[in-house]
Amino acid sequence: MRVFLKIEYDGTNYCGWQIQPNGVTVQEEIEKAILTLTGEKVNLVGSGRTDSGVHAEGQVAHFDTDSSIPAEKFAPALNGLLPDDIKIILSKRADDGFHARFSAKRKTYRYLAYESEQPRPLYDRYMTKLAFKVDDKKMDEACKKFIGTHDFKCFLASGSQVKDTVREIYSAKVERDGDKICFTVCGNGFLYNMVRIMMGTLIKVGEGKLSASEVESVLEKGERINAGATMPPRGLTLLSVEYD
Amino acid sequence: MRVFLKIEYDGTNYCGWQIQPNGVTVQEEIEKAILTLTGEKVNLVGSGRTDSGVHAEGQVAHFDTDSSIPAEKFAPALNGLLPDDIKIILSKRADDGFHARFSAKRKTYRYLAYESEQPRPLYDRYMTKLAFKVDDKKMDEACKKFIGTHDFKCFLASGSQVKDTVREIYSAKVERDGDKICFTVCGNGFLYNMVRIMMGTLIKVGEGKLSASEVESVLEKGERINAGATMPPRGLTLLSVEYD
């Protein structure tokens, strides 16, 4: 039986999703809990990696099991074994042809930042501090330039080996709620660090260091140096992964 | 010189505001930072205590100092010394007659809860999980009964030695935002555990175990046993303390 999991995690204390030699990861914690529950050493396949410190409200993963536990009971049973900062929101039986990574059609990410002179302890876990005010209207205008099919190599972390850097962005918006700035973006896939560099570029626009039309030429030129900084992971959350 | 501080803290890792023999407290951390900065062992007077695990967005405190540091510079200077989960949002010079506790006119608290079958890691730090759906409209209707001057001894933690249990509540409301339930209450003062027991009582209303009019008789009878449970501290935040 193939089992579908929807997973929420606070990434603060993890070295990201994917198992690695040094540091505890989310995938590892869930595989350990499945081993305890079923006695099976499964390979948990996620929709994609999230970086160290990045959160997820709706990560999706699948695994195959011979266990007789009904698929929908994996959520409560695994939650009893998992740490407080990783929980399964939903488990259900998946078709044998379902693949968390290859079947994924759309992913939505959110990046949160806040404007404040002094750091805010109640904001800092899930948002990045901006020491200056930004123009959210201009940022919203600029992020519309991301929509469509583009080569996003200017938003790729340097050193990455990926070859196909073309992605399609379906929607993008920047909204203000008081002193909080929220960037939400949905696309068919994202390059390594892409959302964090997109946000860094939008911050440059919000500061007045780059115009919305210049964002278009940053994309066209395709050089990492023209884009903004890679924003810290704490502000980033993988909101959802959608399938047909 | 008397210095006014507005303080924000994530109470998760602290045994509340007030210094105590066992466990680290917020008052202690700030007094330590002031000692490092000025060499003075000051008595930091808060507007009131917050319990272990309770958060604050706008706690207020004052202290007296002979330091030549300008009052408004205490915020950035102390923030450089304080841990990430305690920060001074604002520091300014106060009148000699100002007293963080005795001059306080109004306090506003917020209690956050969320409805979910499974625990939510991204909600759990600042909200309490409800395993059932609640009727927020009935809770809002019920919380209006708190408004006015009442003897709130039914909402006092058992074992408390306080004699005057009459307080005035200026406003109270319950609002829903998707699966989140927010209770906000403003009054001239609050008894030990009062907001957490108020919320526990409203949850009983939301579950249909108590009607809004029965809340009135719970107040009138003044017996702790008729009120609801004391809700966990993590959902509670001291939003602001106001002075004339």
Side-chain angles (χ1 to χ4, degrees):
Chain A
M1 167 175 71
R2 183 155 287 188
V3 179
F4 169 106
L5 300 180
K6 183 181 165 194
I7 307 152
E8 179 167 319
Y9 48 87
D10 179 326
T12 308
N13 299 318
Y14 295 94
C15 293
W17 167 264
Q18 195 170 47
I19 288 179
Q20 51 162 265
N22 307 308
V24 182
T25 67
V26 178
Q27 184 192 5
E28 178 185 343
E29 289 289 329
I30 301 173
E31 287 191 1
K32 256 171 44 189
I34 296 171
L35 176 62
T36 303
L37 190 66
T38 65
E40 295 171 333
K41 197 159 169 20
V42 306
N43 175 32
L44 185 69
V45 180
S47 75
R49 307 178 189 186
T50 55
D51 291 341
S52 182
V54 171
H55 316 291
E57 205 172 292
Q59 171 67 295
V60 171
H62 80 261
F63 65 96
D64 294 320
T65 176
D66 294 325
S67 161
S68 60
I69 300 170
E72 65 278 12
K73 296 298 180 197
F74 272 95
L78 290 174
N79 285 347
L81 301 168
L82 284 165
D84 288 347
D85 47 11
I86 303 175
K87 294 293 173 194
I88 313 297
I89 301 305
L90 175 77
S91 62
K92 62 181 182 185
R93 187 167 185 159
D95 293 336
D96 289 344
F98 174 83
H99 192 284
R101 182 166 165 214
F102 299 130
S103 309
K105 296 295 182 202
R106 287 169 299 280
K107 285 187 182 180
T108 304
Y109 279 94
R110 180 186 64 204
Y111 199 100
L112 291 173
Y114 71 96
E115 302 164 334
S116 179
E117 225 171 293
Q118 302 304 333
R120 304 280 310 266
L122 295 178
Y123 287 12
D124 270 342
R125 201 167 178 95
Y126 306 117
M127 299 185 218
T128 297
K129 180 181 171 308
L130 305 174
F132 42 82
K133 301 267 177 200
V134 290
D135 185 329
D136 52 290
K137 296 273 176 278
K138 283 192 181 147
M139 290 170 72
D140 185 53
E141 189 192 332
C143 79
K144 303 303 186 212
K145 309 287 183 194
F146 300 153
I147 297 173
T149 302
H150 302 282
D151 185 338
F152 285 102
K153 67 182 175 204
C154 63
F155 294 146
L156 176 64
S158 57
S160 173
Q161 298 299 316
V162 68
K163 276 170 193 164
D164 178 12
T165 52
V166 175
R167 296 290 183 276
E168 185 173 358
I169 298 298
Y170 304 120
S171 66
K173 62 180 174 183
V174 170
E175 294 164 300
R176 172 183 290 276
D177 174 14
D179 52 3
K180 297 171 201 149
I181 305 290
C182 175
F183 169 49
T184 313
V185 60
C186 173
N188 65 351
F190 292 87
L191 305 170
Y192 184 55
N193 279 354
M194 178 166 154
V195 182
R196 291 160 62 185
I197 302 171
M198 278 177 156
M199 184 63 172
T201 306
L202 294 175
I203 296 292
K204 274 177 84 171
V205 173
E207 283 183 279
K209 291 184 179 168
L210 201 68
S211 72
S213 59
E214 281 169 320
V215 168
E216 227 166 339
S217 71
V218 167
L219 267 175
E220 278 164 22
K221 282 183 188 153
E223 286 171 26
R224 173 70 189 89
I225 196 156
N226 297 320
T230 305
M231 295 289 284
R234 62 170 64 178
L236 186 61
T237 301
L238 171 57
L239 284 187
S240 63
V241 186
E242 290 169 87
Y243 299 86
D244 282 339
Chain B
M1 165 176 74
R2 183 156 287 191
V3 178
F4 169 106
L5 300 180
K6 182 181 167 195
I7 306 152
E8 178 167 317
Y9 48 88
D10 179 326
T12 309
N13 298 320
Y14 296 94
C15 294
W17 168 263
Q18 195 170 47
I19 288 178
Q20 51 160 267
N22 307 310
V24 182
T25 68
V26 178
Q27 183 192 7
E28 178 184 344
E29 289 288 328
I30 301 174
E31 287 190 2
K32 257 172 42 188
I34 297 171
L35 176 62
T36 303
L37 189 66
T38 66
E40 295 172 333
K41 200 164 166 19
V42 307
N43 177 32
L44 184 69
V45 179
S47 74
R49 307 177 190 187
T50 54
D51 292 341
S52 181
V54 171
H55 316 289
E57 204 172 294
Q59 170 68 294
V60 171
H62 79 260
F63 65 97
D64 294 322
T65 176
D66 293 327
S67 160
S68 61
I69 299 170
E72 66 277 12
K73 296 297 180 198
F74 272 95
L78 290 173
N79 285 346
L81 302 168
L82 284 166
D84 287 346
D85 47 10
I86 304 175
K87 294 293 171 192
I88 313 297
I89 302 302
L90 176 77
S91 62
K92 61 181 182 183
R93 187 165 186 160
D95 292 337
D96 289 344
F98 173 84
H99 193 282
R101 183 167 165 211
F102 300 131
S103 309
K105 296 295 181 205
R106 286 169 300 281
K107 284 187 184 180
T108 304
Y109 279 95
R110 179 186 64 204
Y111 198 100
L112 291 174
Y114 70 96
E115 303 164 334
S116 179
E117 227 173 291
Q118 303 304 331
R120 304 280 310 263
L122 296 178
Y123 287 12
D124 270 343
R125 202 170 176 93
Y126 306 117
M127 300 185 218
T128 298
K129 180 181 172 306
L130 305 175
F132 42 82
K133 300 268 175 200
V134 290
D135 185 329
D136 52 291
K137 296 273 176 279
K138 285 192 179 145
M139 291 171 70
D140 185 54
E141 189 192 332
C143 79
K144 303 303 186 212
K145 310 288 182 193
F146 301 152
I147 297 173
T149 302
H150 302 283
D151 185 337
F152 284 103
K153 67 182 173 203
C154 65
F155 294 144
L156 177 62
S158 57
S160 173
Q161 299 298 316
V162 67
K163 277 172 191 161
D164 178 12
T165 51
V166 174
R167 296 289 183 279
E168 185 174 358
I169 298 299
Y170 304 120
S171 65
K173 63 179 174 183
V174 170
E175 294 164 301
R176 172 184 290 276
D177 175 14
D179 52 2
K180 298 171 199 148
I181 304 289
C182 175
F183 169 49
T184 314
V185 60
C186 172
N188 66 351
F190 293 87
L191 305 169
Y192 183 56
N193 279 357
M194 178 166 155
V195 183
R196 290 161 61 184
I197 302 172
M198 279 177 154
M199 184 62 172
T201 306
L202 294 175
I203 296 292
K204 274 176 84 171
V205 173
E207 282 183 281
K209 292 183 177 167
L210 202 68
S211 72
S213 58
E214 281 169 321
V215 168
E216 227 166 338
S217 72
V218 167
L219 267 174
E220 278 164 19
K221 283 184 188 152
E223 286 170 25
R224 174 70 189 88
I225 196 156
N226 297 321
T230 305
M231 295 289 284
R234 61 171 64 178
L236 187 61
T237 302
L238 170 57
L239 284 187
S240 63
V241 186
E242 290 170 87
Y243 299 86
D244 282 341

